[in-house]
């Protein structure tokens, strides 16, 4: 149990286009999900907290207009990278926790984004 | 400030031997959890072991065990009988009871296992 999926697993897009990444909790409901960004050989950097039915909470320095987050249901959060540029190329990971035990987070497999 | 520090960017171990990864943290909270997550080349994050701060007994999961020193704010991971599949980036992670799952990550330690 406690499986989190992400789609797509990797995507290549042209500069200026928008890309949507989905994060789904497959066998549990998640009122909160988290989005991370990771550069090679580095740690995970928290971008934002996605809250079901309300606005996301962004970490300092993260552009909310560039990284749009929508948490429309208890099993789905989406991250849209708008007007993508090459510097947005990175590995994006989401995580979610079971409501009563959110201290233990389950991670999606990640999405590799390459912006040309 | 709440921080997690892993001072060993890289470690290496011979197959079948034992290795210890270090982690220190800083917090003024009394209720918290500590984790070690593993990220193999596939980049899928995998939970290795968890420790509740209120528990004095060190957590153990098969070949993985921790040395939790609460007063010293130290949380090291020992891997016994290392296997090739243990090669990965290991992250020490801190979180709190009322934070809804928000995690604080260390910088990571890349472990290589030599056959």
């Amino acid at each position: 149990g406690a499986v989190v999926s992400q789609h797509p697993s990797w995507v290549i897009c042209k500069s200026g286009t928008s890309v949507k990444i989905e994060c789904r909790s497959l066998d549990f409901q998640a009122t909160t999900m988290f989005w991370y960004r990771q550069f090679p050989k580095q740690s995970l950097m928290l971008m934002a907290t996605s809250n079901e039915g309300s606005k996301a909470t962004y970490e300092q320095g993260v552009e909310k207009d560039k990284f749009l987050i929508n948490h429309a249901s208890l099993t789905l959060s989406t991250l849209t990278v708008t007007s993508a540029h090459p510097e947005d190329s990175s590995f994006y990971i989401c995580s979610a926790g079971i409501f009563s035990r959110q201290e233990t987070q389950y991670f999606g497999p990640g999405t590799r984004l390459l912006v040309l | 400030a709440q921080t997690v520090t892993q001072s060993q960017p890289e470690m290496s171990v011979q197959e079948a031997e034992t290795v210890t990864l270090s982690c220190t943290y800083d917090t003024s909270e009394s209720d918290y959890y500590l984790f070690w997550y593993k990220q193999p080349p596939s980049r899928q994050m995998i939970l290795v072991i968890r420790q509740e701060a209120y528990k004095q007994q060190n957590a153990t999961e098969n070949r993985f065990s921790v040395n939790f020193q609460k007063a010293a704010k130290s949380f090291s991971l020992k891997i016994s009988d290392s296997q090739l599949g243990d090669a990965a980036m290991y992250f020490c992670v801190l979180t709190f009871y009322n934070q809804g799952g928000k995690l604080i990550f260390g910088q990571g330690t890349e472990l290589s296992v030599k056959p």
Side-chain angles (χ1 to χ4, degrees):
Chain A
V3 178
V4 176
S5 70
Q6 275 183 249
H7 179 80
S9 57
W10 65 278
V11 57
I12 301 174
C13 69
K14 291 183 179 179
S15 185
T17 61
S18 294
V19 175
K20 180 184 286 188
I21 303 170
E22 294 184 346
C23 177
R24 293 182 184 272
S25 54
L26 298 185
D27 49 4
F28 66 98
Q29 294 182 332
T31 55
T32 303
M33 292 183 175
F34 297 90
W35 286 96
Y36 297 86
R37 186 173 181 177
Q38 186 183 31
F39 292 105
K41 302 288 187 181
Q42 294 189 21
S43 188
L44 278 66
M45 180 186 76
L46 179 65
M47 299 175 65
T49 303
S50 174
N51 304 300
E52 188 270 334
S54 64
K55 290 183 179 180
T57 303
Y58 291 83
E59 296 299 303
Q60 191 172 7
V62 177
E63 298 176 62
K64 61 180 68 176
D65 293 330
K66 166 164 278 295
F67 299 101
L68 299 179
I69 291 172
N70 183 27
H71 196 148
S73 76
L74 286 171
T75 59
L76 173 64
S77 174
T78 59
L79 168 68
T80 301
V81 183
T82 63
S83 186
H85 291 285
E87 57 265 30
D88 298 324
S89 299
S90 191
F91 191 67
Y92 294 88
I93 306 174
C94 69
S95 76
I98 298 171
F99 179 72
S100 59
R101 297 187 62 196
Q102 289 191 53
E103 70 278 358
T104 299
Q105 288 288 300
Y106 299 93
F107 289 83
T111 297
R112 190 181 306 274
L113 171 63
L114 177 61
V115 184
L116 301 177
Chain B
Q2 296 157 338
T3 59
V4 176
T5 302
Q6 293 177 248
S7 59
Q8 306 156 314
E10 299 176 348
M11 290 284 284
S12 180
V13 63
Q14 204 72 34
E15 193 176 6
E17 295 191 344
T18 296
V19 64
T20 298
L21 308 184
S22 301
C23 172
T24 58
Y25 60 95
D26 189 22
T27 180
S28 57
E29 300 285 337
S30 57
D31 292 328
Y32 54 89
Y33 302 84
L34 290 159
F35 302 87
W36 280 96
Y37 279 90
K38 165 185 177 182
Q39 188 179 40
S42 67
R43 303 190 79 171
Q44 170 73 61
M45 296 287 286
I46 301 167
L47 177 63
V48 175
I49 200 165
R50 76 177 247 165
Q51 174 82 43
E52 290 89 342
Y54 67 86
K55 290 186 177 179
Q56 293 185 342
Q57 186 172 8
N58 290 323
T60 299
E61 288 289 341
N62 300 313
R63 299 182 295 106
F64 299 87
S65 61
V66 297
N67 183 3
F68 174 46
Q69 300 291 326
K70 191 172 183 179
K73 295 181 180 176
S74 170
F75 184 63
S76 61
L77 174 70
K78 185 171 82 171
I79 306 174
S80 304
D81 185 26
S82 297
Q83 301 176 358
L84 295 178
D86 295 333
M89 181 76 89
Y90 285 81
F91 293 102
C92 180
V93 179
L94 168 68
T95 191
F96 303 93
Y97 176 73
N98 59 351
Q99 290 290 306
K102 190 171 184 178
L103 306 180
I104 300 170
F105 281 81
Q107 302 92 325
T109 296
E110 186 165 14
L111 177 67
S112 59
V113 181
K114 297 179 180 178

